């Protein structure tokens, strides 16, 4: 079944693809779209609020909770391939990492074999701290211990 795509949806998708390493709240996304000089017909906030859930449903965008808040962040996925492996998201910098397919598959099989539980590959995200942020966190902890 063909998906109907409006100009507003194309604008949102194009912006999110161009900034696929970033995650946005809908408010942040609306503000960023307005700041883009190339975008002459900026979609309205209510339009973006309607488009984003559809993109999540279509599997083009992933939805996350920001830290311990009630705010949702939205980030572009890398296409069809993204639904076949796990993602790791840094809780500090927000960067999304793609786990290798073979590593993901091994973990899926281990969970299924040991716990008889089928993971939803496209929706499973592991949260933690990336190498860069772990190093910053450790450096900050050491500094605090020295005081």
């Amino acid at each position: 079944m063909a998906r109907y795509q409006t100009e507003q949806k194309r604008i949102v998708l194009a912006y999110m693809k161009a900034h696929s390493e970033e995650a946005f709240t809908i408010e942040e996304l609306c503000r960023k779209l307005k700041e883009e000089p190339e975008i002459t017909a900026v979609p309205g906030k209510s339009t973006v609020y309607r488009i984003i859930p559809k993109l999540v449903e279509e599997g083009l965008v992933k939805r996350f909770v920001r830290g311990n808040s009630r705010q949702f962040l939205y980030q572009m996925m890398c296409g069809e391939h993204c639904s076949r492996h796990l993602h790791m998201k840094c809780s500090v910098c927000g960067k999304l990492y793609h786990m290798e397919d073979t590593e993901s598959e091994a973990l899926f099989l281990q969970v299924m074999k040991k716990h008889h539980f089928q993971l939803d590959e496209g929706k499973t995200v592991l949260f933690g701290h990336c190498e860069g942020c772990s190093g910053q966190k450790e450096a900050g902890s050491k500094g605090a211990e020295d005081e």
Side-chain angles (χ1 to χ4, degrees):
M1 183 171 140
R3 293 182 196 146
Y4 179 69
Q5 198 168 78
T6 63
E7 182 62 24
Q8 291 92 348
K9 186 176 179 181
R10 276 192 285 277
I11 289 168
V12 170
L13 270 174
Y15 184 84
M16 291 187 79
K17 281 179 186 175
H19 299 88
S20 63
E21 295 296 315
E22 298 176 59
F24 310 96
T25 64
I26 292 178
E27 295 287 329
E28 291 166 342
L29 180 58
C30 290
R31 189 174 61 253
K32 299 258 185 194
L33 288 168
K34 286 180 184 175
E35 293 170 0
E36 282 295 314
E38 306 88 45
I39 302 174
T40 55
V42 177
K45 192 184 296 185
S46 61
T47 302
V48 177
Y49 268 96
R50 280 193 309 272
I51 291 170
I52 292 295
K54 290 175 185 173
L55 296 176
V56 171
E57 189 178 299
E58 292 172 15
L60 298 172
V61 170
K62 208 169 237 345
R63 183 176 89 161
F64 304 99
V65 175
R66 175 180 272 168
N68 293 328
S69 73
R70 292 183 178 183
Q71 275 190 316
F72 289 113
L73 295 173
Y74 300 91
Q75 187 167 2
M76 190 75 194
M77 292 291 89
C78 63
E80 184 67 29
H81 177 68
C82 262
S83 64
R84 295 192 305 260
H85 60 244
L86 287 169
H87 294 90
M88 299 169 288
K89 183 147 182 84
C90 179
S91 299
V92 178
C93 68
K95 187 166 182 181
L96 186 71
Y97 296 88
H98 303 273
M99 187 181 282
E100 293 292 324
D101 289 354
T102 53
E103 293 171 334
S104 291
E105 189 174 330
L107 189 55
F108 290 138
L109 291 173
Q110 184 178 6
V111 169
M112 182 61 177
K113 196 174 196 179
K114 187 170 182 176
H115 301 284
H116 307 286
F117 189 83
Q118 185 74 38
L119 294 172
D120 183 339
E121 299 155 29
K123 294 182 181 174
T124 304
V125 179
L126 304 174
F127 291 89
H129 301 238
C130 69
E131 186 176 26
C133 292
S134 291
Q136 289 174 3
K137 190 175 178 186
E138 289 171 15
S141 297
K142 288 177 185 173
E145 291 170 5
D146 294 339
E147 292 177 359

